Amino acid sequence: MSKEIVPAGQSISITVMFIIGSSLFMGISGQSGNSNWIALIFAVLLAVPLMLIYARLHVLFPGKDLYDMLLSVFGAVFGRVLSCLYIWYALHLGALVLRNFGEFSKTVALTETPMIAPMLVIGLLCIWVVSAGLEVLGRSAKFLLLFSFMVIVIIQILSVPRFEYHHLKPLLDRGWKPVFADTAGSFTFPFAEIVIFLGAFNVLPAKGSAKRVLLSGTLIAGSVILFVTLRNLLVLGPEILSSLYFPSYVAVSRINIGDFLTRIEGSSAIVFVAALFIKVSLCLYVTCNGVCKVFKLKSYRSVVLQMGLIMVYLSDFIYTNIMQMQYFAYHIYKVYALPFQVIIPVILWIAAEILARRTGSKPPAPAPQQQQ
């Protein structure tokens, strides 16, 4: 089969939808109260140098994905061990996002429906689109991003009459410590999660495209999340905001234009579903691509159905309740995800730079495999 290529514009769309994913509805870590938007800005600034490191890896390994890089630098044995860790991380992250959707459906929309049912529907849809190829996912992301932007802008405008600007004061009333804690939480969830996209770097067209894709996607997604976070804060206030599982849904439900335009929170739920569909699909692709590379399969498509169903099943029992889900997302996850997002990629980048200088060229390529 011919090699898949996803243009930079579609790759940016995938990046933006991936980052806003579940964070658009679950919100960001909120220990700092009405100053959490400051933590969000710091998190974006922290993410920029990390994106440059990821982009540099694409320059050092043109046409290679994360698994090829690990095998090239760390060898067949240790490289496969690290690849298995990233397969788990991609599978686990996809299951976490699916569970976010399951809890949302159970809490808000389909209260009498077993949680596994909506998660299975989204999971089967992701299996279908990943089987069709990443090019299909890229085109879907571009369309869904335009639709999502339109809905978000309209909702932002309609929310203005509900803004209570006194919710922004007093600024930094809890000090800088909660702000820095929220910065770490917002950095790992959602911005640094884009490390998953390294597992699909082989579909990017040119050497310089990764820098454009990652930086543009991070800044656009960061701006969207910042505007949504400020809207939720101005509409609900810091006390109510910190007590909600899905603050965006509640904030949009407050919109009431002359008793005529009401109950529009369903439109924002559509954006949530569209974003998590892209995020779960990319996680599933990277999981299957890793299995293909580690076990030397002919094509990642041969394991899409199996890994997709495993992801859905994992999402069903990964938490016992919604309180455990929120606690893991805001407290445990930033420690759990740090090695995958920062430590291993930085070590990989340093080792690749050293190998490149020693050989005077690019690091050695892994053993050739059959074209996907």
Side-chain angles (χ1 to χ4, degrees), residues 11 46 96 128 145 153 186 276 281:
S11 298
L46 272 179
L96 294 178
W128 174 78
L145 181 63
V153 169
S186 300
L276 74 88
S281 296

Side-chain angles (χ1 to χ4, degrees), residues 53 56-57 60-61 69-75 78 82 342-364:
I53 291 176
R56 177 60 181 166
L57 287 172
L60 291 170
F61 299 91
M69 300 174 194
L70 293 172
L71 292 171
S72 296
V73 173
F74 297 111
F78 191 53
L82 292 177
V342 179
I343 297 175
I344 297 176
V346 169
I347 294 174
L348 174 64
W349 166 59
I350 294 172
E353 293 283 7
I354 293 172
L355 285 175
R357 293 196 178 190
R358 282 182 180 176
T359 59
S361 60
K362 298 179 180 61

Side-chain angles (χ1 to χ4, degrees), residues 160-168 233-235:
V160 172
R162 306 289 301 181
F163 285 179
E164 301 286 346
Y165 294 98
H166 65 85
H167 287 154
L168 292 174
L233 178 62
L234 291 170
V235 171

Side-chain angles (χ1 to χ4, degrees), residues 17-328:
M17 295 295 281
F18 183 92
I19 292 176
I20 65 177
S22 50
S23 61
L24 201 64
F25 251 55
M26 286 189 65
I28 58 173
S29 184
Q31 299 179 37
S32 53
N34 61 358
S35 303
N36 60 356
W37 60 274
I38 300 176
L40 183 60
I41 295 175
F42 286 167
V44 174
L45 295 177
L46 272 179
V48 169
L50 187 65
M51 299 304 119
L52 294 176
I53 291 176
Y54 294 165
R56 177 60 181 166
L57 287 172
H58 185 245
V59 174
L60 291 170
F61 299 91
K64 306 297 181 184
D65 57 41
L66 175 63
Y67 304 107
D68 296 325
M69 300 174 194
L70 293 172
L71 292 171
S72 296
V73 173
F74 297 111
V77 177
F78 191 53
R80 276 182 168 77
V81 172
L82 292 177
S83 296
C84 289
L85 291 177
Y86 273 101
I87 291 170
W88 161 252
Y89 179 62
L91 180 69
H92 188 208
L93 181 59
L96 294 178
V97 178
L98 275 176
R99 183 56 180 261
N100 296 155
F101 174 66
E103 291 289 357
F104 172 76
S105 301
K106 185 71 174 177
T107 306
V108 175
L110 308 171
T111 55
E112 300 299 324
T113 304
M115 192 186 302
I116 188 67
M119 293 192 300
L120 182 60
V121 171
I122 294 293
L124 291 175
L125 185 61
C126 295
I127 290 170
W128 174 78
V129 77
V130 172
S131 298
L134 214 60
E135 292 172 329
V136 176
L137 182 64
R139 291 192 290 270
S140 302
K142 194 169 185 178
F143 169 76
L144 292 173
L145 181 63
L146 292 174
F147 171 77
S148 300
F149 274 171
M150 181 180 66
V151 173
I152 290 171
V153 169
I154 292 174
I155 290 176
Q156 290 289 109
I157 295 172
L158 295 177
S159 300
V160 172
R162 306 289 301 181
F163 285 179
E164 301 286 346
Y165 294 98
H166 65 85
H167 287 154
L168 292 174
K169 297 184 290 186
L171 195 63
L172 296 171
D173 60 326
R174 302 180 187 178
W176 282 103
K177 187 176 180 180
V179 172
F180 292 144
D182 284 353
T183 299
S186 300
F187 171 73
T188 55
F189 170 66
F191 296 105
E193 287 180 340
I194 199 60
V195 69
I196 292 292
F197 198 38
L198 269 67
F201 263 14
N202 56 316
V203 303
L204 293 180
K207 287 184 181 180
S209 61
K211 183 177 179 181
R212 175 190 168 194
V213 166
L214 294 176
L215 286 180
S216 301
T218 300
L219 295 177
I220 294 171
S223 301
V224 171
I225 297 173
L226 177 62
F227 285 129
V228 171
T229 300
L230 282 171
R231 180 201 68 199
N232 296 343
L233 178 62
L234 291 170
V235 171
L236 300 173
E239 290 79 16
I240 297 177
L241 194 65
S242 61
S243 65
L244 297 173
Y245 295 118
F246 305 105
S248 292
Y249 187 84
V250 177
V252 175
S253 69
R254 299 283 182 92
I255 296 176
N256 188 341
I257 308 298
D259 292 326
F260 170 72
L261 191 61
T262 60
R263 305 293 297 175
I264 64 170
E265 58 268 23
S267 59
S268 62
I270 295 174
V271 175
F272 174 49
V273 174
L276 74 88
F277 160 67
I278 299 298
K279 188 167 186 175
V280 173
S281 296
L282 184 60
C283 289
L284 179 58
Y285 171 82
V286 173
T287 301
C288 298
N289 190 33
V291 172
C292 175
K293 294 293 175 67
V294 169
F295 295 100
K296 298 182 180 180
L297 305 178
K298 293 182 178 180
S299 172
Y300 71 87
R301 289 180 172 88
S302 61
V303 293
V304 170
L305 178 61
Q306 298 89 324
M307 300 310 298
L309 294 177
I310 290 173
M311 186 179 289
V312 172
Y313 181 63
L314 178 62
S315 67
D316 187 45
F317 70 84
I318 199 168
Y319 301 123
T320 55
N321 51 51
I322 193 171
M323 289 84 76
Q324 192 180 73
M325 179 190 79
Q326 190 180 50
Y327 181 80
F328 180 85

